[in-house]
mmCIF file of all heavy atoms in Angstrom:
data_model
loop_
_atom_site.group_PDB
_atom_site.id
_atom_site.type_symbol
_atom_site.label_atom_id
_atom_site.label_comp_id
_atom_site.label_asym_id
_atom_site.label_seq_id
_atom_site.Cartn_x
_atom_site.Cartn_y
_atom_site.Cartn_z
ATOM 1 N N PHE A 180 95.073 101.505 112.467
ATOM 2 C CA PHE A 180 95.617 100.229 112.934
ATOM 3 C C PHE A 180 95.069 99.885 114.313
ATOM 4 O O PHE A 180 95.015 100.736 115.202
ATOM 5 C CB PHE A 180 97.142 100.294 112.991
ATOM 6 C CG PHE A 180 97.785 99.085 113.603
ATOM 7 C CD1 PHE A 180 98.008 97.940 112.848
ATOM 8 C CD2 PHE A 180 98.147 99.087 114.939
ATOM 9 C CE1 PHE A 180 98.602 96.819 113.421
ATOM 10 C CE2 PHE A 180 98.739 97.967 115.522
ATOM 11 C CZ PHE A 180 98.959 96.830 114.754
ATOM 12 N N LEU A 181 94.641 98.616 114.478
ATOM 13 C CA LEU A 181 94.094 98.156 115.757
ATOM 14 C C LEU A 181 94.972 97.117 116.430
ATOM 15 O O LEU A 181 95.260 97.223 117.623
ATOM 16 C CB LEU A 181 92.684 97.583 115.551
ATOM 17 C CG LEU A 181 91.613 98.560 115.099
ATOM 18 C CD1 LEU A 181 90.292 97.824 114.880
ATOM 19 C CD2 LEU A 181 91.436 99.692 116.101
ATOM 20 N N MET A 182 95.385 96.099 115.710
ATOM 21 C CA MET A 182 96.201 95.057 116.327
ATOM 22 C C MET A 182 96.873 94.214 115.260
ATOM 23 O O MET A 182 96.526 94.265 114.076
ATOM 24 C CB MET A 182 95.362 94.160 117.238
ATOM 25 C CG MET A 182 94.418 93.236 116.516
ATOM 26 S SD MET A 182 93.587 92.074 117.671
ATOM 27 C CE MET A 182 92.613 91.092 116.525
ATOM 28 N N SER A 183 97.851 93.434 115.706
ATOM 29 C CA SER A 183 98.568 92.505 114.843
ATOM 30 C C SER A 183 98.464 91.106 115.437
ATOM 31 O O SER A 183 98.485 90.940 116.663
ATOM 32 C CB SER A 183 100.034 92.915 114.722
ATOM 33 O OG SER A 183 100.753 92.013 113.913
ATOM 34 N N ILE A 184 98.329 90.113 114.563
ATOM 35 C CA ILE A 184 98.212 88.722 114.993
ATOM 36 C C ILE A 184 99.350 87.932 114.367
ATOM 37 O O ILE A 184 99.552 87.973 113.154
ATOM 38 C CB ILE A 184 96.879 88.101 114.549
ATOM 39 C CG1 ILE A 184 95.699 88.907 115.101
ATOM 40 C CG2 ILE A 184 96.780 86.644 114.986
ATOM 41 C CD1 ILE A 184 94.371 88.495 114.516
ATOM 42 N N GLY A 185 100.087 87.189 115.186
ATOM 43 C CA GLY A 185 101.074 86.259 114.673
ATOM 44 C C GLY A 185 102.446 86.862 114.450
ATOM 45 O O GLY A 185 102.664 88.069 114.549
ATOM 46 N N SER A 186 103.373 85.960 114.136
ATOM 47 C CA SER A 186 104.767 86.311 113.862
ATOM 48 C C SER A 186 105.358 85.188 113.012
ATOM 49 O O SER A 186 104.746 84.128 112.863
ATOM 50 C CB SER A 186 105.544 86.460 115.178
ATOM 51 O OG SER A 186 105.525 85.234 115.905
ATOM 52 N N PRO A 187 106.521 85.377 112.410
ATOM 53 C CA PRO A 187 107.095 84.322 111.571
ATOM 54 C C PRO A 187 107.427 83.074 112.386
ATOM 55 O O PRO A 187 107.909 83.152 113.510
ATOM 56 C CB PRO A 187 108.368 84.970 111.013
ATOM 57 C CG PRO A 187 108.131 86.445 111.130
ATOM 58 C CD PRO A 187 107.308 86.616 112.368
ATOM 59 N N GLY A 188 107.128 81.905 111.816
ATOM 60 C CA GLY A 188 107.474 80.658 112.484
ATOM 61 C C GLY A 188 106.535 79.532 112.139
ATOM 62 O O GLY A 188 105.660 79.659 111.272
ATOM 63 N N THR A 189 106.688 78.418 112.825
ATOM 64 C CA THR A 189 105.897 77.219 112.569
ATOM 65 C C THR A 189 105.067 76.782 113.771
ATOM 66 O O THR A 189 104.322 75.813 113.683
ATOM 67 C CB THR A 189 106.821 76.054 112.168
ATOM 68 O OG1 THR A 189 107.748 75.794 113.231
ATOM 69 C CG2 THR A 189 107.594 76.383 110.898
ATOM 70 N N ARG A 190 105.182 77.479 114.869
ATOM 71 C CA ARG A 190 104.427 77.112 116.060
ATOM 72 C C ARG A 190 102.987 77.598 115.945
ATOM 73 O O ARG A 190 102.633 78.348 115.043
ATOM 74 C CB ARG A 190 105.078 77.712 117.307
ATOM 75 C CG ARG A 190 106.481 77.183 117.605
ATOM 76 C CD ARG A 190 107.049 77.819 118.859
ATOM 77 N NE ARG A 190 108.385 77.313 119.177
ATOM 78 C CZ ARG A 190 109.123 77.722 120.200
ATOM 79 N NH1 ARG A 190 108.631 78.652 121.042
ATOM 80 N NH2 ARG A 190 110.321 77.220 120.415
ATOM 81 N N ASP A 191 102.145 77.144 116.884
ATOM 82 C CA ASP A 191 100.767 77.622 116.923
ATOM 83 C C ASP A 191 100.754 79.137 117.028
ATOM 84 O O ASP A 191 101.460 79.725 117.869
ATOM 85 C CB ASP A 191 100.023 77.015 118.113
ATOM 86 C CG ASP A 191 99.828 75.517 117.989
ATOM 87 O OD1 ASP A 191 100.079 74.972 116.892
ATOM 88 O OD2 ASP A 191 99.428 74.890 118.994
ATOM 89 N N GLY A 192 99.944 79.772 116.186
ATOM 90 C CA GLY A 192 99.852 81.216 116.204
ATOM 91 C C GLY A 192 100.914 81.932 115.410
ATOM 92 O O GLY A 192 100.906 83.168 115.320
ATOM 93 N N GLN A 193 101.843 81.180 114.805
ATOM 94 C CA GLN A 193 102.861 81.758 113.942
ATOM 95 C C GLN A 193 102.556 81.403 112.490
ATOM 96 O O GLN A 193 101.799 80.468 112.215
ATOM 97 C CB GLN A 193 104.255 81.249 114.327
ATOM 98 C CG GLN A 193 104.709 81.695 115.715
ATOM 99 C CD GLN A 193 106.124 81.240 116.025
ATOM 100 O OE1 GLN A 193 106.553 80.157 115.658
ATOM 101 N NE2 GLN A 193 106.862 82.096 116.740
#
Side-chain angles (χ1 to χ4, degrees):
F180 174 82
L181 295 177
M182 72 174 182
S183 179
I184 302 170
S186 60
T189 60
R190 296 180 179 178
D191 293 349
Q193 295 183 323

